[in-house]
Amino acid sequence: MKDMQYKNIVAAIDGSKATLPVLTAAVKSAIHNHAHLDLLTIEQVGQITDGYITSTTVSTDQTYNLVKTTEERLEDLKMRAWKMGLLDVSIHIRFGNPKRVIAQDFPKDHHNDLIVIGTTGLSSVERFVLGSVTNYVNRNAPCDVLVVRTENNRQEEER
């Protein structure tokens, strides 16, 4: 079997405990493959209430502050990637449904051939009701998906 060579890797960053393990795995993969790395985070403007998605009104100032804070966090992660030896890194903030953006929209727009994503931070009840972004991405992505498990996820699965 031929060794897969990735050229455009996207790391789905959500600010959870999985963020640094996902970043580390993505940077290592990008260095190994001499690939470009996109750091992507998704901001949701709607919320789920009683099973229905409702739109929330967000002011211009709130949107600006949200984007500014998120951009600062992504720039920090970009600097970490640089310190690990990867200089070909871009940051991206998208609004929308994380499942669809990560699995379909972003890879289509940026020609990603590998998605690096962490395991879910949801409880088993939340996963049942809402579904896991990771599971959705793994089933629907047009490219390979690397799922990074955190130590907490491994311990929870062993129980």
Side-chain angles (χ1 to χ4, degrees), residues 96-115:
N97 180 322
K99 291 177 182 179
R100 182 175 175 92
V101 172
I102 297 167
Q104 296 156 341
D105 300 341
F106 194 86
K108 180 182 170 191
D109 294 346
H110 294 269
H111 309 287
N112 299 107
D113 44 20
L114 177 64
I115 298 170

Side-chain angles (χ1 to χ4, degrees), residues 45-46 54-60 62-63:
V45 292
T54 58
S55 178
T56 57
T57 305
V58 180
S59 74
T60 303
Q62 289 171 318
T63 303

Side-chain angles (χ1 to χ4, degrees), residues 44-56 96-99 130:
Q44 289 180 274
V45 292
Q47 65 184 34
I48 297 179
T49 306
D50 295 330
Y52 298 97
I53 297 177
T54 58
S55 178
T56 57
N97 180 322
K99 291 177 182 179
L130 302 175

Side-chain angles (χ1 to χ4, degrees), residues 6-13 18-39 74 76-90 114-117 146 148:
Y6 300 109
K7 300 205 179 311
N8 292 301
I9 299 171
V10 59
I13 304 294
T19 295
L20 291 181
V22 165
L23 177 69
T24 300
V27 168
K28 286 180 180 180
S29 294
I31 289 171
H32 175 76
N33 288 282
H34 307 286
H36 172 76
L37 177 61
D38 292 305
L39 299 179
L74 286 173
D76 179 55
L77 294 173
K78 182 178 179 178
M79 292 303 294
R80 285 176 182 255
W82 286 3
K83 288 177 183 175
M84 293 173 67
L86 181 66
L87 300 179
D88 191 4
V89 183
S90 299
L114 177 64
I115 298 170
V116 183
I117 190 168
L146 172 61
V148 178

